[in-house]
Amino acid sequence: MKEKPYKLAHLDRQKLMVAARKALIAADAHYYAWTPEERERFRATMGENAILRIQRVLLDDLLDIKCRTDEVDEAWKNVPLTDLNQLNWARLLTTGVGDDYIYLNECMAEGKTLLDFPTLYDYDYADNLFQEEARKRDFPDYGGIAYYAYQHPSWVRLLIHEQFYYSTFTSLATYMLDEIDSAGEEVIQQLIPHEYVDGKNHGKQEQGGFLWDVKIDAAGQEAQLDELRSRWYGYKRERWLALSKSNVQRPPAVYVHDKDWDDDPHRFFVFTNERTLKQIRWRQFLSDCNSLVADYAEVEKLRAEEIGQANLWIVENHEDIQENFDPKVVKLRKKRKIILTESALDDLSEIDADKE
């Protein structure tokens, strides 16, 4: 596994470890009198008050930000992105479990922690059941689909050779879907140039929030774009399912790939199927992965084939729509009103500004 370690610009690892140790003692003065198993259980299950005490110490020791406990959330939220990795690294030392201090940055059912799921499969299967139940509850006509590995990627933090990494855990099928979706959106933009613009009611106050009214401007081809996107959505669903079914026959394997996102250390772990997930334990994650790591060139080859096939499909369907589309035939769609809180509206505005 080729390493590209991330190194802090301003703080050394020793200072991070000292800060984390001090924070854990602040969370519970008896922490270092416990057994390793008891410490790990505490890191995985600590309550909100302990978390705030930890964060308060880390802010003070690492960034010289002094605040009261009731000010911690706001102070942490306002930390510049350039300093956030320092905090997240130290935070990982206070929350991670297992040999790699792994931390799953996903919501779990009340009373559940990562220690309740021995393998990646145990967690992913439980998460899939939850997602399916939610869909059936929200969409009565939803028929459900069979379980396949990592339909929904997980966002993870861990230490790799004592270096801090963000990580995405996903399946080969889901990874391919993300790749063809990204490439396909570029092709669609080239075929039908478009942009998102604020509608007349965007930001209007209503029912304790603000209306989200954003429309697509495609220079008069909004209906054609909508039809192409509708077909594209169907293609992607069918392709994900086909890939998932075919990948069941693949031998267990893990593909590893690093991506630089705003200079953040980020590593993708791509798993072929559920048999792979059953062989990897959370608490021994990297050691279990090492024997299953395969050549990432296999993924690159499949990616090129899938993107080429998908882009050709988009071009052909665009040509069909341009030749046969009848703008007088309007698809019936259920109107939805989206109301956001003020903070959510601000967050989305910041994302748009960052993209520009």
Side-chain angles (χ1 to χ4, degrees), residues 216-241:
I216 292 179
D217 180 359
Q221 293 202 64
E222 290 79 12
Q224 289 90 330
L225 177 62
D226 185 63
E227 174 63 20
L228 182 57
R229 283 192 179 279
S230 178
R231 296 187 188 186
W232 176 230
Y233 177 75
Y235 174 89
K236 289 185 294 184
R237 288 188 60 186
E238 293 175 3
R239 200 69 207 122
W240 179 85
L241 189 58

Side-chain angles (χ1 to χ4, degrees), residues 149-192:
Y150 269 118
Q151 180 177 358
H152 308 284
S154 288
W155 176 257
V156 179
R157 297 170 185 170
L158 76 164
L159 295 184
I160 301 177
H161 297 311
E162 298 187 350
Q163 297 290 331
F164 174 76
Y165 275 81
Y166 298 104
S167 184
T168 299
F169 290 5
T170 188
S171 69
L172 183 57
T174 300
Y175 188 74
M176 284 299 112
L177 181 66
D178 290 341
E179 293 295 302
I180 67 173
D181 184 38
S182 179
E185 286 299 321
E186 292 184 8
V187 175
I188 291 174
Q189 176 67 35
Q190 292 171 4
L191 294 173
I192 307 179

Side-chain angles (χ1 to χ4, degrees), residues 83-97:
D83 294 325
L84 195 56
N85 282 341
Q86 304 172 17
L87 289 180
N88 284 339
W89 187 331
R91 183 86 172 86
L92 186 66
L93 297 175
T94 70
T95 56
V97 301

Side-chain angles (χ1 to χ4, degrees), residues 17-27 32 57 60-61:
M17 294 174 67
V18 170
R21 181 182 179 89
K22 183 177 177 180
L24 286 165
I25 293 174
Y32 284 100
V57 170
D60 187 4
D61 276 27

Side-chain angles (χ1 to χ4, degrees), residues 155-317:
W155 176 257
V156 179
R157 297 170 185 170
L158 76 164
L159 295 184
I160 301 177
H161 297 311
E162 298 187 350
Q163 297 290 331
F164 174 76
Y165 275 81
Y166 298 104
S167 184
T168 299
F169 290 5
T170 188
S171 69
L172 183 57
T174 300
Y175 188 74
M176 284 299 112
L177 181 66
D178 290 341
E179 293 295 302
I180 67 173
D181 184 38
S182 179
E185 286 299 321
E186 292 184 8
V187 175
I188 291 174
Q189 176 67 35
Q190 292 171 4
L191 294 173
I192 307 179
H194 58 277
E195 62 179 345
Y196 290 89
V197 297
D198 292 347
K200 63 180 181 180
N201 294 319
H202 184 63
K204 181 180 178 182
Q205 283 190 312
E206 184 167 329
Q207 299 178 18
F210 295 85
L211 282 177
W212 176 255
D213 180 20
V214 174
K215 303 181 184 300
I216 292 179
D217 180 359
Q221 293 202 64
E222 290 79 12
Q224 289 90 330
L225 177 62
D226 185 63
E227 174 63 20
L228 182 57
R229 283 192 179 279
S230 178
R231 296 187 188 186
W232 176 230
Y233 177 75
Y235 174 89
K236 289 185 294 184
R237 288 188 60 186
E238 293 175 3
R239 200 69 207 122
W240 179 85
L241 189 58
L243 285 167
S244 295
K245 289 179 178 179
S246 65
N247 288 342
V248 169
Q249 307 303 321
R250 289 177 177 266
V254 180
Y255 301 99
V256 180
H257 181 56
D258 286 351
K259 287 191 176 182
D260 288 329
W261 286 348
D262 298 327
D263 295 325
D264 288 341
H266 196 104
R267 176 160 295 180
F268 276 76
F269 289 89
V270 182
F271 312 101
T272 52
N273 49 39
E274 67 181 82
R275 284 188 294 151
T276 310
L277 302 185
K278 289 179 178 179
Q279 295 186 34
I280 302 173
R281 297 163 294 177
W282 287 104
R283 298 184 68 254
Q284 292 81 27
F285 175 73
L286 288 176
S287 61
D288 286 348
C289 282
N290 284 338
S291 62
L292 297 171
V293 172
D295 189 353
Y296 185 75
E298 298 175 22
V299 177
E300 292 179 321
K301 179 181 177 181
L302 180 61
R303 176 182 178 276
E305 294 172 354
E306 289 294 327
I307 287 178
Q309 178 179 318
N311 288 352
L312 179 61
W313 181 95
I314 292 172
V315 171
E316 291 176 346
N317 276 265

